[in-house]
Each structure stands twice: as C-alpha cells, then as structure tokens.
Amino acid sequence: MKLWKKLLQTGICFTLVISVLCPMAFATVQTDSVPITGVKQAKSKWCWAACAEIVGKAVYPSTNRTQFDVVSRYKGTLANPYPNEKSGTLAESAGGSQYVAYDKVKFDSIEGVWSFSKFVDSIAHGYPVQAAGGYYTNGKRTGGHMVVVYMTQFTDNLSGSNCYIDYYDPWEDISHHCTYNSFCNGSYNTRIYDQTVYAIY
C-alpha cells in the first residue's frame, strides 16, 4: 500500500513538473488552410482581379483564366481591353472568381465583415476568402485593397487564446500572419476590414 502511494505521489509530481517546464505540451492549436498559388497584381488597380484569379484557381485548379481575362471581361473595351482606371466592384470581384472557376463554384459578396468562425468554416470546406480593407479619413472611405485569406489558426495555452489569419497580398506578392482582430481594426496593415467576397457552398 505504501509503495502504491509513493508511485501515485511521484506520478503527480512528474505531471506538475512537465506542465511547468513544457506549457506548450498542453496547448490547443487548430489550423485550417487552403493551398493557393499567389499571383502578383499586374497593374496598380488590379488587386481585385488578381485575387479573383487566385481564388478561382484554388477552387478549380484546371482553369486557364487569369486576371487579364477578368479585367477584359468586366472593364475592357475593344480599344482598351485591359484598363487600369478603376478598381473592380464587389460584384465584379465575386463574378471574376466565378468566371475564373468556369462557374463550378458560385460566389457572392457583402459590404461587411465575417466573424472568425465564418472564415474557419469556409476555409475548412476548401474555399479561401477575399477580404477588402478600407482606408478611412474622417470616417469616409477613401480607398481600399483586396487580399486573399487562406489560413486560420486558433491557439489556446497558458498565455491565453488567440485567433490568427494568414493572407496573401497581391500588391506585395507576399503572405502575412496576424491576429484576426488586428486585421479587422487596421492596426496590422492600416486598412479596416470592411468587405468580403466568398464562395457559396
């Protein structure tokens, strides 16, 4: 009986030591991601078209349509098939993604934000999300930029819980990792997240 008690005490002490020395061993980490191929936007106002190409190819990899095809379809004329005067609208961003995907997947858009859980759900189903952030002066939107969110991560450990996203920026041609909250409020990249283009599934 004494031997059993000693073994129990030893086991409890060992568990406590491990939990102190290796706190990450008891962390919860949930990561969901969709493989994408980054595409640098070809012209200054083409972020929406580049994102449409990225998302369209992610959901329908055999497509051969590009940002040039998207711009030509929604903005082009015979005289100027690839204009760079105006950014795409939300409806054109959604339509562009659907066009690149040959209508295999339907897309829609909202002038509003998604919760972190909605990003998780979409990406877990295999659909990256286009998210636009606006530049604001005195409460008025003066411009914006579209990126593609392709990964979410939730962590919960002794330091607390955090929600992260990874997104690809077609202007910089690089990916970013930041908290969901800093992406939303603009403290990470100076843009306030305010528009969403998403797949319907």
Side-chain angles (χ1 to χ4, degrees):
M1 191 69 173
K2 289 182 179 179
L3 178 61
W4 181 84
K5 285 184 176 179
K6 284 186 176 181
L7 289 173
L8 181 63
Q9 290 172 345
T10 301
I12 292 172
C13 289
F14 179 75
T15 302
L16 289 173
V17 169
I18 291 297
S19 66
V20 170
L21 295 178
C22 306
M24 290 306 294
F26 298 91
T28 297
V29 179
Q30 178 186 333
T31 302
D32 293 283
S33 64
V34 181
I36 65 166
T37 300
V39 175
K40 185 175 177 60
Q41 63 189 78
K43 297 186 181 182
S44 61
K45 296 184 182 298
W46 284 19
C47 60
W48 65 281
C51 288
E53 178 181 343
I54 294 165
V55 172
K57 285 183 174 177
V59 302
Y60 187 59
S62 61
T63 183
N64 60 3
R65 291 173 176 168
T66 70
Q67 60 182 304
F68 286 88
D69 298 306
V70 172
V71 171
S72 178
R73 179 180 176 85
Y74 289 99
K75 301 291 189 183
T77 64
L78 287 176
N80 186 9
Y82 308 115
N84 188 40
E85 285 75 33
K86 293 182 180 179
S87 298
T89 66
L90 274 180
E92 289 168 342
S93 296
S97 297
Q98 191 167 313
Y99 176 66
V100 172
Y102 280 83
D103 294 317
K104 301 293 183 181
V105 178
K106 303 294 184 184
F107 287 84
D108 203 350
S109 62
I110 58 167
E111 287 192 8
V113 305
W114 265 17
S115 65
F116 180 73
S117 62
K118 291 196 75 172
F119 276 101
V120 172
D121 189 64
S122 181
I123 290 169
H125 279 84
Y127 300 111
V129 182
Q130 291 158 261
Y135 299 104
Y136 286 83
T137 302
N138 297 323
K140 183 179 179 181
R141 197 179 201 269
T142 56
H145 185 55
M146 184 80 75
V147 299
V148 176
V149 179
Y150 64 91
M151 187 167 84
T152 58
Q153 185 178 72
F154 172 76
T155 63
D156 189 6
N157 53 42
L158 295 179
S159 300
S161 59
N162 283 291
C163 299
Y164 298 93
I165 62 167
D166 281 44
Y167 70 86
Y168 173 81
D169 187 327
W171 175 256
E172 299 174 312
D173 193 24
I174 60 173
S175 292
H176 292 263
H177 177 77
C178 64
T179 66
Y180 167 75
N181 285 338
S182 67
F183 179 76
C184 290
N185 63 29
S187 60
Y188 179 75
N189 58 25
T190 72
R191 299 185 298 269
I192 297 174
Y193 165 44
D194 57 2
Q195 298 176 347
T196 312
V197 178
Y198 57 93
I200 300 172
Y201 56 94

